[in-house]
Amino acid sequence: MIPTLAGRIQTRLFLLATVGLAWTIVVVPVLPKRGAPIGDVYAATILALFVVALFGAGWELLYHAIQQYRWEKDWPILYALAEAVPEGVVAFVVVDAIVPTGPSPITFFFHFVTTWVVVWLTAIGPLRMVLLRWRFRGGRIL
Amino acid sequence: MTDADLTADLISARRWTDQDVAAARLPMIDVPLVSVGGGLGSFALVDTLRVAGIPSNAIRVLTTLDRPDQTYEYLASASQIPRHERIRSDSGSTIDNIWGFPSYALREAWNAKSIKEKMDPLLQVFLEPVFADYYTPRSGQVYESVVRESARINWNSMLVKGVVRMVRARHGGGYFSVLTPPRGWRPPPGQPPSKRIVFRSSHVHLAVGYPGVKFLDDLQAYRQAHDDFHRVVNAYEPHEYVYEELLRRPSTVLVRGSGIVATRILVRLLEDRERKGAQTTVLHLFRHYIDKPQGDDPKFRRLGRNGFAYQGFNYPKAAWGGQLKERLERLDGPGRAALIRQMGGTNTPFRREWEALLQRGRQGGWYQQWIGEVASVDPGPNGTITTTIVDPQQRSVQLAANFIIDATGLESDISEHRLLADLLSHGGASRSAFGRLEMEPSFEVAGTRNDPGRMYASGSATLGGYYAGVDSFLGLQYAALRIADDLASIGFGERIGVSRSVKEWFRWMRNAPIPG
């Protein structure tokens, strides 16, 4: 992926709102919930999506700055996957602070990792089938 | 009665009427769009237009080629990329698939036999370019996929064989493309004999490829003065006999150039030495020796060492679709020319196995690097050729070799192409600050519009316009998409939207022919 800053942010928001949300709806019923009611888990996981979306603008600024030191001005797909580590930690801390009763780290972990992988896989492949010009526009959708 | 031909009046007129053509008794064929070239540039556009819903009978491809990948394969083979070797192109630059998905790496994995062969390409794209070299597809995979897609879009039904000599504007709009059919061509019964066929079309697309192979002046002079086309060869000419002779007796080869083609030649020479026992000494002559990273700005600095400038592809990746593309789009002609030179120029990809090969050669003494300007090239003793260079310390050094391979470049001036030269003199086209065709961002050739018709170009002739990687698979596809969108904006076909894109992608996956 060779994103521009605008393209990074737009792609993140678009994918979280589509495949990210759809995946969350599908996966929550089968997540290990440690006895928590499904409604609470939905609330916590959707909140996690919001946090990743909202904090994303900040993260993307950081990635964009790092990208400037790469001659190719590209963003290897390995990096895009590895972003999950710092972002996941921060998202957990924030969600945990907002929702005092949960979610359990196990629930959060399985939801976060699977959602990240699904979004990442979509971004590096099938998204192009839907948005033909996306790859020429530095990831911009609008 | 003699065969009908172009008249002096037609040749001198910048603009023709239908009556002018009829008076010359030239047979005329009407078609909405003509693509001149028939190589991968034409293929990329026609593929996109067919996906956009344009029927095959609305397009004619004027060409001397049987297959769209024919010229590419010819040049790749000569420059040491046979079908099993990997080209220098990204996994997602799928010339047979306008979406870039599934990528070459994914398809290679899908079609592989063993688990290891399935995992290798996937692992490589996952780790590239930080922990692995860039994945690149085998040329054979590219050719096979082009042949498959050609059948799907009914490519052969659109071909008309011959050489296009000129494209002239038509009074009333659109263009006349004058084709010289192959020898032995006969007009349909009832039509007068003619040496040309005129295609009257609203729109014209030019994808004529490289104007010609560029030779170093001193080597060209040597070749002509001594009538020696055997021992002084260009990397883009077939020269397999050179490698065969090198296997028979110990020899010295001088290689000139430091781009990707020079690397290919060096790799072939050194691998023949290691694997087949050739006793070849390679003298590698640099004009510009790069011994450190290029660029003072840490945010715009290219890896350089051992003589070479390194990057994955012809340009940094973001030139095809990221921030460097956007930067280029905002610049004027001279600014674009400067940035293109900065991002491009002579460079070669860094591949770990190639580096090791050159390193072993350096240590063993059979790969020697020399730096200097060539002063003269003369016949030497015992069938050798002596190249006299002036090195950086202003000393004169003589390098004797049995063969010289010129690997410095493919591109000569656009005016060496007859059609492009005519376009500059009679078609309203002009040169850009880069020296090629002045282009609009939509890949329309500036100055040639003849409403409601438009003339477009893609490929090497358009470098210096608003896109750097024009001479690449992805660049040809980008040009095709821009042209298709521009045509759609004036009512020729429809813009490919989300639903058509998805529907046509599934059709591609089923390898189902596009109707019409």
Side-chain angles (χ1 to χ4, degrees):
Chain A
M1 198 159 75
I2 36 180
T4 58
L5 182 58
R8 284 176 177 282
I9 294 171
Q10 289 181 18
T11 300
R12 167 183 295 249
L13 296 180
F14 176 77
L15 289 177
L16 285 173
T18 52
V19 282
L21 187 62
W23 175 255
T24 301
I25 291 167
V26 171
V27 80
V28 161
V30 298
L31 283 180
K33 286 184 273 295
R34 297 283 163 132
I38 193 163
D40 290 2
V41 176
Y42 266 122
T45 50
I46 288 170
L47 179 64
L49 292 184
F50 264 106
V51 170
V52 173
L54 213 62
F55 281 51
W59 284 113
E60 295 296 6
L61 271 175
L62 173 69
Y63 305 147
H64 182 75
I66 296 169
Q67 190 184 15
Q68 301 318 304
Y69 290 88
R70 298 182 57 75
W71 163 254
E72 305 262 354
K73 304 282 181 279
D74 61 338
W75 197 244
I77 61 175
L78 181 65
Y79 288 13
L81 188 64
E83 291 167 9
V85 177
E87 292 205 34
V89 170
V90 169
F92 179 76
V93 170
V94 173
V95 171
D96 198 47
I98 296 173
V99 190
T101 55
S104 85
I106 297 289
T107 312
F108 181 90
F109 178 81
F110 278 104
H111 169 254
F112 190 90
V113 169
T114 58
T115 307
W116 195 279
V117 169
V118 167
V119 166
W120 175 76
L121 282 175
T122 309
I124 65 172
L127 184 59
R128 298 155 189 222
M129 159 190 93
V130 182
L131 300 174
L132 177 61
R133 294 165 190 82
W134 175 84
R135 61 177 171 152
F136 296 118
R137 295 165 53 89
R140 279 185 302 118
I141 293 162
L142 301 175
Chain B
M1 198 162 74
T2 56
D3 291 0
D5 201 351
L6 290 165
T7 60
D9 285 348
L10 286 174
I11 290 171
S12 62
R14 298 171 73 93
R15 192 173 276 264
W16 301 349
T17 65
D18 293 345
Q19 292 74 25
D20 292 339
V21 179
R25 296 182 298 117
L26 296 171
M28 188 148 65
I29 294 172
D30 281 313
V31 62
L33 182 136
V34 156
S35 180
V36 181
L40 291 174
S42 291
F43 175 77
L45 178 65
V46 173
D47 196 27
T48 306
L49 291 175
R50 297 283 286 124
V51 170
I54 303 288
S56 56
N57 63 15
I59 303 169
R60 284 295 170 269
V61 177
L62 312 185
T63 181
T64 57
L65 306 172
D66 296 319
R67 290 185 355 245
D69 53 334
Q70 195 172 325
T71 301
Y72 185 95
E73 181 166 11
Y74 171 84
L75 293 170
S77 302
S79 60
Q80 302 307 308
I81 314 173
R83 285 193 163 223
H84 62 270
E85 284 284 340
R86 293 182 185 276
I87 60 170
R88 186 191 194 186
S89 190
D90 185 62
S91 175
S93 303
T94 52
I95 188 73
D96 65 310
N97 169 300
I98 68 166
W99 300 270
F101 175 74
S103 66
Y104 288 126
L106 207 53
R107 289 189 237 168
E108 183 179 334
W110 183 265
N111 293 321
K113 301 279 186 295
S114 70
I115 297 290
K116 185 186 177 323
E117 284 174 13
K118 282 184 185 298
M119 288 311 293
D120 281 351
L122 296 181
L123 207 59
Q124 195 174 352
V125 280
F126 179 64
L127 297 174
E128 77 176 23
V130 186
F131 300 103
D133 298 335
Y134 275 113
Y135 168 88
T136 59
R138 288 194 181 88
S139 63
Q141 184 189 6
V142 173
Y143 306 145
E144 284 158 25
S145 68
V146 167
V147 168
R148 184 188 106 135
E149 183 69 354
S150 299
R152 203 178 75 84
I153 63 173
N154 212 0
W155 174 259
N156 285 347
S157 76
M158 294 175 265
L159 295 190
V160 180
K161 285 299 183 65
V163 178
V164 174
R165 183 170 160 182
M166 58 178 68
V167 177
R168 294 285 169 90
R170 171 180 172 270
H171 271 289
Y175 306 89
F176 295 110
S177 303
V178 181
L179 178 97
T180 308
R183 223 164 265 161
W185 176 82
R186 289 279 170 271
Q191 291 201 14
S194 172
K195 287 182 175 167
R196 325 277 173 197
I197 310 171
V198 174
F199 286 80
R200 181 169 61 185
S201 66
S202 295
H203 312 295
V204 172
H205 171 240
L206 305 176
V208 296
Y210 305 101
V213 173
K214 187 177 79 179
F215 285 90
L216 287 165
D217 291 339
D218 55 81
L219 293 183
Q220 186 70 339
Y222 175 88
R223 275 162 61 123
Q224 277 163 358
H226 302 283
D227 197 27
D228 185 355
F229 292 81
H230 181 77
R231 291 178 303 163
V232 177
V233 297
N234 188 288
Y236 281 108
E237 299 172 318
H239 59 278
E240 191 60 29
Y241 65 88
V242 171
Y243 305 105
E244 286 163 10
E245 269 195 55
L246 296 177
L247 290 179
R248 285 197 287 272
R249 58 177 153 271
S251 310
T252 300
V253 179
L254 179 73
V255 177
R256 295 181 55 182
S258 57
I260 172 68
V261 177
T263 304
R264 295 274 185 197
I265 302 291
L266 295 174
V267 167
R268 172 71 194 265
L269 292 167
L270 297 177
E271 281 187 351
D272 275 5
R273 184 175 173 116
E274 290 193 353
R275 294 180 191 171
K276 296 182 182 169
Q279 292 298 303
T280 311
T281 301
V282 180
L283 309 179
H284 186 192
L285 177 57
F286 291 81
R287 200 153 50 114
H288 303 291
Y289 191 88
I290 294 156
D291 55 0
K292 61 178 190 299
Q294 293 180 293
D296 299 328
D297 181 353
K299 289 192 277 189
F300 206 65
R301 183 182 286 164
R302 175 160 66 187
L303 176 65
R305 70 169 99 123
N306 298 333
F308 299 92
Y310 294 102
Q311 68 192 19
F313 307 100
N314 311 23
Y315 297 96
K317 267 194 127 178
W320 275 271
Q323 49 183 284
L324 293 173
K325 171 175 177 282
E326 293 190 352
R327 194 197 294 187
L328 191 72
E329 286 169 345
R330 288 193 294 267
L331 295 171
D332 62 1
R336 293 197 303 272
L339 182 57
I340 287 170
R341 290 200 173 92
Q342 207 180 354
M343 298 191 297
T346 303
N347 64 76
T348 197
F350 187 92
R351 294 193 190 168
R352 286 159 172 82
E353 56 179 311
W354 291 354
E355 289 306 302
L357 187 69
L358 293 183
Q359 187 55 28
R360 289 195 295 275
R362 265 192 291 268
Q363 283 165 352
W366 57 80
Y367 168 59
Q368 303 170 14
Q369 295 187 327
W370 296 85
I371 308 167
E373 295 278 345
V374 171
S376 63
V377 182
D378 305 292
N382 307 319
T384 60
I385 313 152
T386 303
T387 301
T388 307
I389 62 168
V390 179
D391 76 4
Q393 287 78 39
Q394 301 302 315
R395 290 174 307 207
S396 180
V397 181
Q398 294 199 321
L399 303 172
N402 303 90
F403 292 99
I404 297 180
I405 302 178
D406 175 357
T408 53
L410 184 57
E411 299 180 14
S412 47
D413 190 81
I414 55 169
S415 65
E416 285 182 35
H417 195 283
R418 196 175 186 185
L419 173 56
L420 299 180
D422 187 72
L423 205 62
L424 290 169
S425 61
H426 288 79
S430 57
R431 281 179 189 269
S432 66
F434 199 81
R436 313 256 176 113
L437 290 178
E438 179 75 18
M439 300 297 295
E440 302 290 346
S442 61
F443 285 85
E444 187 177 353
V445 182
T448 61
R449 182 175 292 189
N450 196 22
D451 285 323
R454 291 185 184 182
M455 189 190 296
Y456 303 93
S458 45
S460 161
T462 70
L463 186 58
Y466 292 84
Y467 199 71
V470 287
D471 187 23
S472 69
F473 291 168
L474 194 59
L476 294 175
Q477 290 190 301
Y478 175 71
L481 193 56
R482 290 300 300 257
I483 294 167
D485 285 353
D486 197 57
L487 285 168
S489 75
I490 53 170
F492 185 71
E494 56 179 285
R495 192 173 189 274
I496 303 172
V498 171
S499 66
R500 178 179 284 276
S501 179
V502 173
K503 190 182 87 187
E504 290 297 330
W505 183 82
F506 278 101
R507 196 202 299 276
W508 186 93
M509 287 299 284
R510 296 198 313 276
N511 196 22
I514 296 179

